[in-house]
Amino acid sequence: LESPDISGKLAVKLGNKLEQAVAELFTEETGLTVKRNNHVLAHSEYPFMIANIDREGRDAEGKRFILECKTTGSYSGKEWEGDDIPLHYELQVLHYLIVTGYDYGYIACLIGNSKFVVKKVELDELIKARIIEEETKFWQCVLNDEMPPVDKSESCTAILSEMYPVAKEESIHLDDEIDDLLNQRETFKSQAKDLDSSINYIENEIKARLQDNESGYTNNYKVSWKNVTSNRFDTKAF
């Protein structure tokens, strides 16, 4: 399968154009200066691990760091609240730290042109070993021309849909282990239904306690039950 060409998409174009602006905002926010690194970098021991970093710099102690510049819409703001970082961005920087051997990294993100966040990313030896292990397994699949094991990720779902976009009107006999998987699926679906019912019960109980009050609070939580006014065009009435 060939990778789709996304270079013409507006979000990609804006991300590239705003990269320098994000780097400048990072310097204003932290006082740390950065410079471009236009080289494709490779790990000395694992040459299949490569990196193309946005920026790099040194702090007052002489430690080297990576800066990755990101932009996203306001709808993604919750993913950056508190100490949170979207996992794929964090893993990207951790991978780059392994490749470069730099001391730590930063991710700077402009969110919806209204909020700017800077997050520090540090690598420990346990995570380093795990990432190298998983990437080595993946690279072995590449060398052997084998598909990696199926997992529960969205990317796995997407690639299977891309590999097999149209179902042929044919039938095949599946291995006996599929029976076990289908039994597990039925069990999980039943459990999910029970969990949904339990969640509905709890929410109904809270609504009953709130009565006609918009919000309530305990020692640990605040809950709200807000009115929502829809301004959408009423096609049925029309």
Side-chain angles (χ1 to χ4, degrees):
L1 297 173
E2 291 187 6
S3 299
D5 182 10
I6 61 173
S7 60
K9 291 190 174 183
L10 180 59
V12 177
K13 289 181 179 180
L14 287 175
N16 292 332
K17 291 179 181 297
L18 290 171
E19 184 178 300
Q20 179 60 28
V22 171
E24 291 174 2
L25 286 170
F26 169 81
T27 296
E28 292 177 12
E29 182 89 7
T30 64
L32 296 167
T33 58
V34 292
K35 64 178 182 179
R36 293 179 182 271
N37 184 323
N38 296 321
H39 301 288
V40 177
L41 310 173
H43 194 284
S44 58
E45 186 177 353
Y46 305 99
F48 56 85
M49 297 180 68
I50 61 174
N52 186 2
I53 64 178
D54 289 341
R55 300 289 189 281
E56 63 182 1
R58 287 185 183 270
D59 61 19
E61 298 177 358
K63 293 183 177 180
R64 303 184 76 176
F65 64 87
I66 293 166
L67 170 64
E68 283 301 301
C69 305
K70 306 296 182 184
T71 55
T72 188
S74 55
Y75 56 85
S76 299
K78 288 187 177 180
E79 297 180 8
W80 297 89
E81 290 180 352
D83 295 328
D84 289 348
I85 304 171
L87 182 60
H88 57 291
Y89 288 154
E90 186 173 9
L91 283 170
Q92 179 187 8
V93 175
L94 290 170
H95 166 86
Y96 286 175
L97 290 174
I98 295 172
V99 173
T100 61
Y102 287 7
D103 296 286
Y104 58 90
Y106 285 107
I107 302 176
C109 185
L110 179 63
I111 304 172
N113 290 334
S114 60
K115 185 178 180 181
F116 184 69
V117 296
V118 175
K119 303 295 180 75
K120 189 175 183 179
V121 178
E122 295 181 288
L123 178 69
D124 65 41
E125 291 301 316
L126 184 63
I127 294 176
K128 177 180 177 180
R130 180 67 189 280
I131 290 176
I132 291 175
E133 177 186 1
E134 292 300 324
E135 292 194 23
T136 301
K137 288 180 183 177
F138 182 86
W139 184 246
Q140 196 60 48
C141 289
V142 175
L143 295 178
N144 296 336
D145 196 24
E146 295 177 357
M147 180 175 173
V150 169
D151 59 34
K152 60 185 178 182
S153 66
E154 292 181 4
S155 58
C156 181
T157 303
I159 199 66
L160 287 171
S161 297
E162 191 172 348
M163 290 174 67
Y164 311 113
V166 179
K168 300 177 181 178
E169 293 185 4
E170 298 176 3
S171 182
I172 61 171
H173 183 269
L174 300 171
D175 297 336
D176 291 341
E177 63 179 329
I178 299 300
D179 284 333
D180 293 333
L181 291 175
L182 290 172
N183 287 335
Q184 290 180 45
R185 181 175 180 268
E186 292 303 312
T187 300
F188 291 148
K189 287 177 67 176
S190 177
Q191 291 174 348
K193 186 176 180 180
D194 290 341
L195 289 171
D196 285 339
S197 296
S198 297
I199 291 171
N200 287 337
Y201 159 70
I202 292 171
E203 291 179 347
N204 287 338
E205 184 67 37
I206 293 170
K207 291 171 189 174
R209 301 287 183 91
L210 283 173
Q211 297 181 8
D212 54 3
N213 297 291
E214 185 181 71
S215 63
Y217 59 89
T218 68
N219 291 333
N220 299 311
Y221 293 95
K222 180 178 180 180
V223 293
S224 61
W225 173 237
K226 295 181 179 293
N227 297 315
V228 177
T229 302
S230 174
N231 293 317
R232 289 176 297 180
F233 181 68
D234 190 339
T235 54
K236 186 176 181 181
F238 178 76

